[in-house]
């Protein structure tokens, strides 16, 4: 720890241009794994984002750009992708682990490293959560199903710096997938040298990105848990300059402690779902509406099996009156795909307005309610509550809806707040009548939002498999707009998911910082080009 403290005394260099800074930051929870083909938790996502880099990357507007690929070409039928790799991207290995490399600390990233990563994703024994996303790779579905070996995947090294990827069908989402962390390279020899520890400690990771892990210490019963990263100088080039020198992450167990550390000046930025109590004039704040919260109904409930009752409740919701104008953490939602999803360089919600899905109609609500009572042979609906995760939203926003239902229909629906763990259990066990359910993409993709409705036990009448396959096989990015819109409409027409709110997430940072990049879907913070002028 004294060694670490000595390193931490380093700060900005003398250039005066904001470079060379050491960033003090906190992550919530110990990273579960720094294996890009497996990790899903937020803490891991942030470290992985700064540790690795891939063929492609995305900018703040969702545009897909070359990263470690010098250039690429796509065949006229959309089935063949050929990438020419840059020759200045290297694996850097910290000599703390001298079991793998005796001499050089770095060596080039080649096409074979990407091939091994894709094979790992598709290999069913790996159980990668990203396997379905990459099933478009030739023979991918057969490999995932255990009908073919990972070595039969359509990924081939023409030479060390030329990678060819063949698809079973054209996929407009494919370049976007190559910008996600799941497609980061993996060196086969190093992977096997870790003997099952890959990504689990500081001796079992390499870097081909902006920073490498210098020290990772975590004791679940102790304090001073840290993950310390240093600039990867071998990948610091004129065209790919890494601006900070160090990243010092403390590992915390409580989000409120992280907020307090920021206010006390101990750390320089943090992510949050609410800026309540944060002086936005004092700090730089980035906000993104990346989550959609909506009502769902238990498909096994005697009442809500009636589409007429669901329609009655939906038609009576006036979203314009739901939210106080002073609240910035949430906004009214009429559609499923949240505004943070970008397509063609713009928010999807700019391309397709969600107001077309507004079905507020009091007279129609009353008519449907009368039909529902007749169908269900009842005059009233009692003992119904909306199950709400207390960590997702202030339930006061739902009381307005409940009051409107009571005035219009004469029965009261209550609110039941529970913890996140209990909410998940109750949903899984179908121990609810209604619930406020959150939907969020795993990456910048409308498909990633919509496919969450496929094979989900919460939705009996949402038949998405066929439409999802259409989106997977859509060859033109511009056509995705129509496919997304069509799928949204079909889901909403079942009245099994009723969007109510778009929920914001934030990156809050000191005002002397610039170009810290926040991904609202993975919640990763990217420091590669960050500048600090303190």
């Amino acid at each position: 720890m004294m060694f670490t403290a000595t390193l931490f005394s380093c700060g900005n260099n003398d250039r005066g241009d904001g470079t060379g800074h050491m960033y003090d930051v906190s992550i919530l929870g110990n990273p579960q794994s720094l294996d890009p083909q497996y990790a899903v938790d937020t803490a891991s996502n942030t470290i992985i984002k700064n540790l690795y880099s891939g063929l492609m990357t995305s900018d703040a507007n969702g545009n897909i750009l070359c990263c470690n690929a010098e250039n690429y070409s796509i065949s006229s039928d959309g089935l063949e992708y050929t990438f020419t790799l840059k020759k200045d991207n290297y694996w850097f290995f910290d000599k703390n682990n001298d079991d793998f490399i005796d001499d050089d600390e770095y060596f080039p990233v080649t096409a074979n490293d990407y091939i091994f990563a894709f094979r790992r994703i598709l290999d069913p024994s790996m159980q990668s959560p990203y396997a379905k996303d990459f099933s478009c790779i030739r023979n991918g579905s057969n490999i995932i199903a255990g009908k073919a070996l990972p070595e039969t995947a359509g990924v081939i090294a023409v030479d060390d710096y030329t990678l060819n990827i063949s698809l079973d069908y054209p996929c407009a989402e494919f370049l976007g997938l190559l910008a996600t962390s799941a497609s980061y390279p993996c060196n086969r020899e190093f992977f096997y040298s870790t003997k099952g520890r890959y990504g689990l400690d500081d001796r079992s990771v390499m870097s081909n990105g902006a920073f490498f892990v210098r020290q990772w210490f975590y004791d679940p019963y102790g304090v001073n848990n840290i993950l310390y990263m240093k600039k990867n100088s071998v990948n610091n080039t004129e065209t790919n300059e890494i601006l900070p020198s160090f990243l010092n992450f403390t590992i915390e167990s409580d989000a409120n402690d992280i907020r307090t550390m920021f206010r006390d000046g101990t750390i320089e930025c943090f992510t949050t779902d609410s800026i309540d109590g944060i002086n936005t004039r004092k700090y730089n704040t980035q906000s993104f509406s990346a989550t959609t919260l909506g009502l769902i109904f238990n498909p096994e409930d005697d009442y809500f099996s009636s589409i007429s009752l669901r329609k009655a409740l939906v038609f009576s919701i006036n979203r314009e009156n739901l939210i106080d104008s002073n609240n910035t953490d949430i906004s009214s939602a009429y559609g499923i795909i949240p505004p943070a999803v970008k397509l063609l360089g713009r928010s999807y919600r700019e391309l397709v307005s969600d107001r077309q899905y507004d079905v507020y109609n009091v007279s129609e609500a009353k008519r449907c309610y009368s039909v529902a009572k007749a169908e269900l042979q009842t005059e009233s609906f009692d003992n119904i509550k909306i199950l709400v995760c207390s960590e997702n939203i202030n339930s006061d926003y739902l009381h307005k809806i409940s009051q409107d239902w009571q005035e219009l229909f004469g029965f009261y629906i209550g609110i039941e707040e529970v913890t996140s763990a209990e909410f998940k259990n109750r949903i899984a066990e179908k121990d609810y009548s209604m619930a406020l359910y959150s939907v969020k993409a795993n990456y910048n993709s409308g498909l990633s939002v919509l496919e969450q409705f496929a094979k989900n036990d919460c939705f009996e009448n949402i038949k998405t498999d066929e439409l999802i396959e259409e989106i997977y096989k859509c060859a033109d990015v511009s056509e995705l707009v129509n496919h997304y819109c069509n799928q949204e409409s079909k889901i909403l027409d079942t009245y099994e998911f009723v969007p109510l709110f778009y929920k914001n997430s934030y990156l809050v940072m000191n005002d002397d910082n610039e170009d810290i990049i926040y991904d609202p879907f993975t919640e990763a913070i990217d420091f590669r080009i960050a500048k600090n002028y303190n």
Side-chain angles (χ1 to χ4, degrees):
M1 295 301 293
M2 289 181 64
F3 166 73
T4 302
T6 302
L7 289 174
F8 288 176
S9 66
C10 302
N12 284 352
N13 65 14
D14 297 327
R15 286 168 54 177
D17 58 1
T19 64
H21 186 62
M22 182 189 74
Y23 278 93
D24 291 307
V25 197
S26 292
I27 49 178
L28 183 60
N30 188 46
Q32 296 177 13
S33 171
L34 299 185
D35 179 349
Q37 281 77 56
Y38 188 77
V40 294
D41 62 292
T42 299
S44 298
N45 289 338
T46 287
I47 305 304
I48 286 171
K49 187 69 176 179
N50 293 283
L51 183 63
Y52 299 98
S53 58
L55 293 168
M56 311 299 290
T57 189
S58 59
D59 66 13
N61 293 317
N63 297 307
I64 308 302
L65 310 171
C66 285
C67 186
N68 294 335
E70 185 76 42
N71 54 64
Y72 67 91
S73 63
I74 307 174
S75 63
S76 58
D77 61 4
L79 297 178
E80 302 286 335
Y81 288 68
T82 302
F83 297 88
T84 301
L85 275 57
K86 293 179 179 177
K87 295 181 179 180
D88 60 355
N89 185 233
Y90 295 92
W91 289 113
F92 180 82
F93 184 80
D94 189 346
K95 283 188 175 178
N96 279 337
N97 183 344
D98 56 6
D99 297 331
F100 181 65
I101 297 178
D102 294 326
D103 300 316
D104 294 335
E105 295 178 81
Y106 61 93
F107 54 96
V109 177
T110 69
N112 285 314
D113 297 319
Y114 290 98
I115 290 172
F116 186 63
F118 291 126
R119 288 176 178 175
R120 292 188 66 230
I121 293 173
L122 298 173
D123 187 342
S125 66
M126 166 71 181
Q127 296 186 336
S128 170
Y130 307 105
K132 174 62 176 175
D133 295 333
F134 290 87
S135 60
C136 58
I137 292 176
R138 183 168 296 168
N139 220 23
S141 295
N142 288 330
I143 297 169
I144 293 170
K147 298 177 181 179
L149 295 175
E151 290 76 15
T152 64
V155 283
I156 298 172
V158 178
D159 56 47
D160 282 350
Y161 296 100
T162 307
L163 174 69
N164 180 268
I165 304 177
S166 303
L167 308 184
D168 275 329
Y169 47 81
C171 178
E173 298 266 13
F174 189 60
L175 282 178
L177 285 168
L178 296 182
T180 66
S181 60
S183 62
Y184 290 162
C186 181
N187 182 267
R188 184 178 185 276
E189 290 74 21
F190 179 77
F191 175 82
Y192 285 113
S193 77
T194 64
K195 300 177 181 179
R197 294 289 302 170
Y198 185 66
L200 297 181
D201 56 53
D202 53 16
R203 295 169 61 86
S204 304
V205 290
M206 284 199 302
S207 166
N208 80 311
F211 302 88
F212 68 92
V213 176
R214 187 65 183 86
Q215 186 177 19
W216 181 5
F217 174 82
Y218 180 72
D219 177 359
Y221 304 104
V223 293
N224 298 321
N225 293 318
I226 63 163
L227 195 153
Y228 177 65
M229 304 184 77
K230 189 175 180 181
K231 179 194 290 191
N232 188 345
S233 297
V234 300
N235 286 327
N236 181 39
T237 65
E238 186 174 333
T239 58
N240 186 39
E241 187 177 11
I242 303 162
L243 302 184
S245 292
F246 308 97
L247 304 179
N248 172 32
F249 294 95
T250 65
I251 303 171
E252 307 297 334
S253 59
D254 190 297
N256 290 325
D257 289 344
I258 294 177
R259 182 179 282 246
T260 299
M261 292 170 70
F262 177 77
R263 286 175 171 166
D264 293 343
T266 307
I267 59 176
E268 297 175 71
C269 65
F270 76 108
T271 61
T272 179
D273 288 338
S274 174
I275 53 172
D276 184 35
I278 297 295
N279 186 346
T280 55
R281 295 180 180 179
K282 182 178 179 181
Y283 303 111
N284 287 335
T285 305
Q286 298 177 16
S287 65
F288 303 87
S289 294
T291 301
T292 303
L293 299 174
L295 292 176
I296 63 172
F297 308 92
N298 188 338
E300 298 178 359
D301 187 274
D302 291 338
Y303 292 153
F304 293 114
S305 60
S306 168
I307 189 173
S308 297
L309 179 58
R310 299 198 303 269
K311 283 183 175 181
L313 298 182
V314 174
F315 290 156
S316 66
I317 298 174
N318 183 0
R319 291 170 176 81
E320 289 187 354
N321 295 333
L322 287 183
I323 301 172
D324 188 318
S325 59
N326 294 322
N327 187 288
T328 58
D329 291 339
I330 59 175
S331 58
S332 296
Y334 299 85
I336 298 171
I337 299 176
V341 171
K342 294 186 177 181
L343 195 64
L344 301 172
R346 296 172 63 188
S347 166
Y348 171 73
R349 291 272 67 111
E350 293 178 22
L351 299 169
V352 179
S353 172
D354 63 354
R355 292 304 294 263
Q356 64 181 295
Y357 305 125
D358 185 5
V359 293
Y360 175 57
N361 187 323
V362 173
S363 60
E364 185 64 12
K366 291 179 179 179
R367 187 193 70 79
C368 289
Y369 185 63
S370 297
V371 172
K373 288 194 297 182
E375 289 175 347
L376 298 169
Q377 298 181 351
T378 185
E379 284 299 317
S380 64
F381 302 91
D382 302 316
N383 301 319
I384 297 175
K385 292 183 179 181
I386 304 175
L387 188 69
V388 179
C389 173
S390 57
E391 299 168 25
N392 270 345
I393 194 173
N394 186 333
S395 63
D396 289 346
Y397 295 112
L398 293 174
H399 285 295
K400 171 60 178 171
I401 298 176
S402 180
Q403 291 169 1
D404 289 346
W405 285 338
Q406 186 174 23
E407 293 176 6
L408 193 60
F409 304 126
F411 70 93
Y412 178 73
I413 294 180
I415 312 294
E416 182 181 4
E417 289 192 84
V418 296
T419 64
S420 176
E422 184 177 351
F423 184 87
K424 291 178 181 178
N425 289 335
R426 294 273 296 274
I427 294 296
E429 296 170 2
K430 290 189 170 60
D431 182 16
Y432 67 97
S433 295
M434 304 170 61
L436 188 67
Y437 192 81
S438 64
V439 176
K440 183 179 180 181
N442 297 318
Y443 63 103
N444 180 34
S445 166
L447 172 61
S448 183
V449 177
L450 298 171
E451 67 182 354
Q452 294 182 41
F453 293 89
K455 298 179 181 179
N456 189 322
D457 291 341
C458 295
F459 313 108
E460 284 196 344
N461 298 305
I462 297 178
K463 308 300 182 184
T464 62
D465 287 355
E466 183 177 339
L467 291 171
I468 289 294
E469 288 302 317
E470 288 182 10
I471 298 176
Y472 269 115
K473 297 179 180 180
C474 178
D476 191 325
V477 175
S478 61
E479 291 179 11
L480 287 175
V481 176
N482 293 330
H483 282 282
Y484 289 167
C485 182
N486 183 36
Q487 179 74 310
E488 274 192 300
S489 297
K490 289 185 178 296
I491 293 174
L492 294 173
D493 285 346
T494 67
Y495 299 94
E496 291 191 352
F497 180 78
V498 185
L500 293 180
F501 309 106
Y502 296 129
K503 180 183 175 184
N504 281 355
S505 58
Y506 304 89
L507 172 68
V508 182
M509 53 187 167
N510 292 333
D511 61 3
D512 51 12
N513 289 300
E514 287 183 2
D515 296 327
I516 300 176
I517 301 172
Y518 174 59
D519 182 338
F521 305 105
T522 65
E523 299 182 44
I525 308 175
D526 182 356
F527 291 93
R528 182 179 60 82
I529 60 171
K531 303 184 187 71
N532 178 279
Y533 293 97
N534 183 2

